[in-house]
Amino acid sequence: MEPEKPASDEKQSQAEAPSEKATEPAKPAVKTISGPQISKATFQTSNVLPITGGQVETVSGNYNPSFIKDFNSLVVRVNQYKVERVQNPTKEIDVYSPESYMQNGGYVVTLDVSIFNETTKNIMYKAEQISLVGASKSTGGSLDNFVPSNYHLTGSTADPYVFSPGKTVEGYITYMMDDAKYEDFKAKPSIAVPSPSKFDASVPKNDAAISSLSLN
């Protein structure tokens, strides 16, 4: 007959026995999108004037988060935006540069955008395909036009379109409009944000987000 184990030994054996719960993989801590890092003062500084010259005036702006969409993979937030009107440009812009669109004046809309990858894997996303939509026309964005190098919205150093897990990236997207397109946008301004599934097949399908923008 086997002798009884002392109670203390029994408790020790139970403690040493691996439980089913202990073998489960640890889940990553829940993280959230970081707060905006670009100040209002920095954002208000014109990046258009040094290139166009002439008269550049900010005619509208919103300097608080005005839009946020959580796709359950990426979170996209507009931290602030502004509309600059260009009149009587004095500087010659290279005809091969897209910025030459403003050679005769017009409007430049700049968004300060944050993108947060809330998953545990890399996700591809093309932020310049976030569009501004008016009453009847839409305008595609640019990550380069009138954007200084230190404010580029780049996912990673290896690939600007690849956003790393658990990281928030912030930068500018710009939109150029002539007078007619801006009047159309001003009449019914909204922003169209495509789902990450449009660019990355590993992300579950999700509809685009549409939100109105109030022009101050």
Side-chain angles (χ1 to χ4, degrees):
M1 185 172 178
E2 193 177 306
E4 275 189 17
K5 286 185 180 180
S8 59
D9 288 352
E10 187 175 349
K11 286 179 182 177
Q12 186 177 354
S13 298
Q14 289 175 353
E16 290 173 354
S19 67
E20 187 177 343
K21 187 174 182 181
T23 59
E24 291 178 359
K27 293 182 180 179
V30 176
K31 296 181 180 179
T32 57
I33 186 169
S34 300
Q37 301 299 303
I38 299 173
S39 69
K40 177 181 175 180
T42 297
F43 186 69
Q44 286 180 316
T45 301
S46 179
N47 299 306
V48 176
L49 180 59
I51 296 173
T52 65
Q55 298 166 289
V56 178
E57 174 192 10
T58 299
V59 297
S60 179
N62 187 323
Y63 304 102
N64 297 298
S66 54
F67 171 89
I68 187 165
K69 173 62 181 178
D70 186 347
F71 287 103
N72 296 315
S73 53
L74 291 185
V75 180
V76 179
R77 183 181 65 209
V78 177
N79 302 310
Q80 45 192 345
Y81 69 86
K82 64 181 177 181
V83 181
E84 293 174 278
R85 185 181 185 187
V86 181
Q87 294 177 287
N88 305 313
T90 57
K91 294 191 177 181
E92 194 71 28
I93 304 175
D94 189 326
V95 68
Y96 295 106
S97 167
E99 294 164 339
S100 64
Y101 182 88
M102 302 305 296
Q103 189 68 74
N104 297 315
Y107 293 83
V108 178
V109 182
T110 304
L111 307 183
D112 166 13
V113 175
S114 291
I115 296 179
F116 169 60
N117 180 353
E118 58 188 326
T119 74
T120 57
K121 62 182 181 181
N122 288 333
I123 293 179
M124 175 175 282
Y125 194 72
K126 297 185 177 181
E128 71 268 31
Q129 292 197 27
I130 296 173
S131 300
L132 295 182
V133 182
S136 62
K137 301 176 182 179
S138 65
T139 305
S142 170
L143 304 180
D144 298 303
N145 298 334
F146 304 109
V147 178
S149 59
N150 50 331
Y151 296 115
H152 280 160
L153 184 60
T154 54
S156 66
T157 52
D159 189 331
Y161 293 133
V162 174
F163 292 82
S164 304
K167 292 186 177 179
T168 300
V169 176
E170 183 178 359
Y172 295 165
I173 307 175
T174 60
Y175 305 80
M176 297 184 292
M177 303 181 185
D178 59 18
D179 290 354
K181 183 169 271 193
Y182 178 69
E183 288 303 317
D184 180 86
F185 172 64
K186 187 178 176 181
K188 192 178 179 182
S190 62
I191 181 171
V193 180
S195 165
S197 63
K198 179 179 178 180
F199 314 107
D200 193 324
S202 69
V203 177
K205 294 290 182 186
N206 203 319
D207 292 335
I210 306 291
S211 177
S212 296
L213 291 175
S214 58
L215 296 180
N216 297 334

